[in-house]
Amino acid sequence: KGKKGAAKREVVRNRCQWGMHCDAARHCTFAHTDEERRLFRLHPDLDFRYFKAKLCCHHPKCRFSRRDCSFAHGEEDAWCLACRDYMGHTTP
């Protein structure tokens, strides 16, 4: 019982600080969430540093859902590279 708890704490401690915007993506040596790993597999060649930094030119007829598209489907979905946060606007 003690080992499982220790392993879980280890993963939390070694969480990737960049999360979804990790430039190593699938090759990162730090822990990522199941959702992040799923998107890394879905878009294997994408540079995730720019994930959701620009608006999708195909929205609302995009073949990807809002969740799976690498571009923002509206400003509320956008990531700002300057602010380094989901601030409700894209990168200027």
Side-chain angles (χ1 to χ4, degrees):
K1 187 175 178 180
K3 280 188 173 184
K4 275 188 176 181
K8 192 171 188 175
R9 281 191 300 277
E10 185 69 24
V11 170
V12 171
R13 186 171 42 241
N14 290 324
R15 172 92 168 91
C16 180
Q17 68 175 339
W18 303 111
M20 180 53 66
H21 301 281
C22 176
D23 61 345
R26 294 183 313 149
H27 307 289
C28 185
T29 59
F30 294 94
H32 284 274
T33 66
D34 290 341
E35 178 66 9
E36 290 165 354
R37 288 192 310 273
R38 185 186 71 76
L39 285 169
F40 295 158
R41 285 190 304 273
L42 183 64
H43 302 289
D45 299 320
L46 185 70
D47 185 345
F48 278 90
R49 290 176 295 178
Y50 305 106
F51 190 78
K52 306 277 186 189
K54 297 287 180 191
L55 292 175
C56 179
C57 64
H58 302 290
H59 179 68
K61 296 179 181 184
C62 181
R63 69 182 180 105
F64 290 107
S65 67
R66 171 186 216 135
R67 174 181 167 204
D68 291 344
C69 185
S70 60
F71 295 95
H73 283 198
E75 291 288 340
E76 66 280 356
D77 192 31
W79 167 264
C80 179
L81 292 171
C83 300
R84 302 286 302 162
D85 201 358
Y86 287 98
M87 298 301 294
H89 59 267
T90 53
T91 302

